Every structure is written in C-alpha cells, then in structure tokens.
Amino acid sequence: MDEVAAAKAALNKVLPYVTSAADWESPRPFTMNMVFTWQGLRALGLPKNDLDSFPDEFRAGMAARKEILGDSGASDPSKWVAPLGSGDIHIGVIVSSETEKGVRAPLTLAEGLQGVTCIYRIDVGVPPTGREHFGYRDGIGDPFVIGSGASAHPGQDAVMPGEFILGYPDESGSIPPLPGPEVLTRNGSFLAFRQLYCDVAAFRRFLRANARSKDDEELIAAKMVGRWRSGAPLMLAPERDDPELALDSTRNNDFQYFAADPKGLICPLGAHIRRVNPRDGLQDTIVSTNIHRLIRRGASYGPVLPEDVVDDDGVDRGVVFIFMGASLRRQFEFIQQQWINNGDFVGLGTEKDPLVGNNDGTGGYTIPARPIRRHFNGLPGFVSVRGGEYCFVPGLNAIKWLAT
Ligand code: HEM
C-alpha cells in the first residue's frame, strides 16, 4: 500500500470516533476532532486546482504570516518548538475528556495507526487553581452563534453562522463562495492553533514593582485584562472584585462600553478584553465588530509557578489556544495585528495589549483615571509564541470523502 492509501485507511479507522455535533448534550467519555493543514490536504492528494482555491493565508501557513501576526523576537518562527511551523505537520487530532482515562483510548488508537506518524503532541488541561497561569479565570466571553440551537447568555453578541462555518450566510447577509470542492469545505471551518509561553514570574514582578499594595496589584491586573482575576468584569465591578458575579453566566457578560465608559475610566480602552472584543465601543467608526469574532478555546500546559514566586524557574508553561472562524485573515489575523499589536483603533498609537501584545520593554500602558491617570513605561513581553499552525476543520462527511 502506498503512503497516501495508508493514510486514507488510517482516516477510515479513526472516523467512527470523530465527535459529531448531534446529541451534543449527551454525556460522552471523550471528544475527538481532526484538522488538516494545507500541506496535509496536499499530501492526501487533493488536486492542484482545489488546493489553489484555498485562502492565501491558509496555504502559506502561520509561520509565513509572521509579519502580520507580529511574531518577532522571542516569538519568531525560527525559535518555535519543532516541528511547529516547519510544514511537516499534516493532520492534527484534538482529544478532550474530563478524565485521564478518557483521553487514553483515542490516543492509543491514533498511535497504533499505519500510514501516519505522531511527530508532535502536547498535553493540556485546567490547572488545579481553575485559572490560567497568570491567575485569571478564562473562557467566559464567546459569541453566540445564531442557529446553533444553544441559548444566548445575556450580553452575548449574536453572530451569523457563516462567520464560523463555511456554507452559511455571514454578517454580510450572503453566503461567501466556498474554497476547494464543496463536499470538502461545506460545514467546515478554519482554526488557528497557537502555543503561547507565559512568563508568569515577569508578570508578577511587573505588578509588584508598580503597585502600592496587594490590593493595588489586583487592581492593575484587572485593568490590564478588563476582568478581575476571578472573571468579574470591571464594567460591572469597577471598584472591587465580585467573585459571585464572576461565576454568574447570566450576568458576567452583560455589559457594553460605548455609553457607559467612552474614555475607558472603568475598563481601559487598551485592556485585553476591550481590545479583542470592543463590543459596541467602535460604533462611531466604520469597523463592524461582528466580522472580527472568534470561537476560542484555551487550555494550559506546564506546571503552575507556585504562588508568590517572582523568579523564573526556567520551566516551560503557557496556554494552547484554538481560534476558530470562517476567515483566518479577517478574524484571527485582524485581531492579532490591528487590535492586539496596534493601538490606533482606539487612539492609543503604538500601545499594545498589555498582557498578550508583542511588547519588548520599550512600550507602555496607560490606565485612564480621574484625577490622575496611571502610565507604566518599559512594559516587558509576558507572552511569546512557541509555535502554531493554520488548519482546516472538515465536517464528518468531508473526512469520509477525504478518506476515500
Ligand atoms: C497567553 C495569552 C492569552 C491570555 C493569558 C488570555 C487571557 C484572557 C482572559 C483572562 C480573558 C478574560 C476571560 C473571558 O472574557 O473569557 C480573555 C478573553 C478573551 N481573549 Fe484572551 N488571552 C490570551 C490571548 C488571546 C489572543 C491571542 C486572542 C485573539 C487573537 C484572545 C482573544 C480573546 C477574546 C476574543 C476574549 C473574550 C473577550 C470578550 O468577549 O469580552 N486572547 N483572554
């Protein structure tokens, strides 16, 4: 059997275990999904015409888009963990479960396959703290996909399904043309996989050096993200943390910016969540926020740095994100380039996202406040890219088609 036939046979074997959206609410021991890089589709023998019809950024791959993504310095693809960004990764398998045992069965199956070789694996999970490494609760803000069958939480923006799934009407009201053969791409999506190192010790040192007290450290941390570390949004808890609000999904997303806080006195204009989802905050500009939304899932890797340690222990730790949407360029890349690594859209010039921007010690961060605003100079980079890949997420029928 040649290599392509062996890989297709492997896909056929895995297919029955790939998670379907049907019966989503029923309990299951694990979920498993498969994604393909452009190189992977090529290796599986997709004809040239079809390969050429995919968007440029997907064909080029994440590493080649480093200028747009701001992946320079410690984040430059030449420093990425091999084989990320090398073009050698063809298929990605995402397995999740609430138990260790749950992930073992599908992984054993995948490892035993002929025709495919596992060249990279990363184990991620939720740390015992229930928070990501910098200490924040994450995974609260996500758009509501119209027609998904779920019910929207108060404050969740309702976004057209074509923004996330190919072959459906998007925010323009029409269905954009599909790339590749329809059987492959209808019901599919694109995904950016991003492995991000978190320099927790540097973040703690920064807070300590700039705060007047422990409480002030928490305030600065909240002003950098737009939520207290508990997850409570500044817009609803401006003065102090509110852990009950943080956990209440009927309230913790129910806020806007435009009328309530035009100058960022409550939630700074440059805070992480206000940048990556400005909600109604740009309504007096030509930017439509809904065309730059993502479905986002993150999980942590590496051990937690013990509380209060401010010296780096040299251990690799961070977050692995998947960002999904119908257009890598208009969604993931736009947010990364225009909103995270640029401040122009809210009049902040060269200021970048204080937590996840590609800061290099030369920039600053401003917290607007009355009577006196606060400004921090020499903002170090707290997050650097360890690697990433652009992938296509086919529907179940499309995987079946790829396997034949
Ligand atoms: C290590 C890097 C990162 C960390 C630690 C981080 C952390 C957080 C935290 C703590 C929140 C608040 C919880 C929530 O609203 O769900 C958040 C929200 C969010 N982040 Fe990040 N983030 C990171 C990178 C990114 C990147 C690279 C993007 C986009 C390209 C992004 C997009 C978002 C979005 C869209 C939200 C929701 C905002 C909202 O709807 O209000 N994040 N992030």
Side-chain angles (χ1 to χ4, degrees), residues 163-185:
E163 292 297 318
F164 308 105
I165 307 166
L166 304 181
Y168 293 83
D170 68 10
E171 285 287 314
S172 71
S174 57
I175 304 177
L178 293 165
E182 187 178 336
V183 58
L184 175 63
T185 52

Side-chain angles (χ1 to χ4, degrees), residues 132 136 138-141 227 272 276-277 279 296 321 323 356:
E132 56 72 57
Y136 297 88
D138 196 6
I140 306 166
R227 288 186 187 271
H272 178 60
V276 290
N277 178 15
R279 298 181 185 232
R296 176 180 65 100
F321 274 109
F323 299 109
V356 316

Side-chain angles (χ1 to χ4, degrees), residues 132 134 136-141 196 198 225 227 272-273 276-277 279 293-294 296 319 321 323 332 335-336 340 355-356 383:
E132 56 72 57
F134 292 121
Y136 297 88
R137 194 161 86 82
D138 196 6
I140 306 166
L196 302 172
C198 296
V225 162
R227 288 186 187 271
H272 178 60
I273 67 162
V276 290
N277 178 15
R279 298 181 185 232
R293 301 304 313 279
L294 304 155
R296 176 180 65 100
V319 194
F321 274 109
F323 299 109
F332 173 67
I335 296 177
Q336 188 66 36
I340 288 182
L355 186 70
V356 316
V383 170

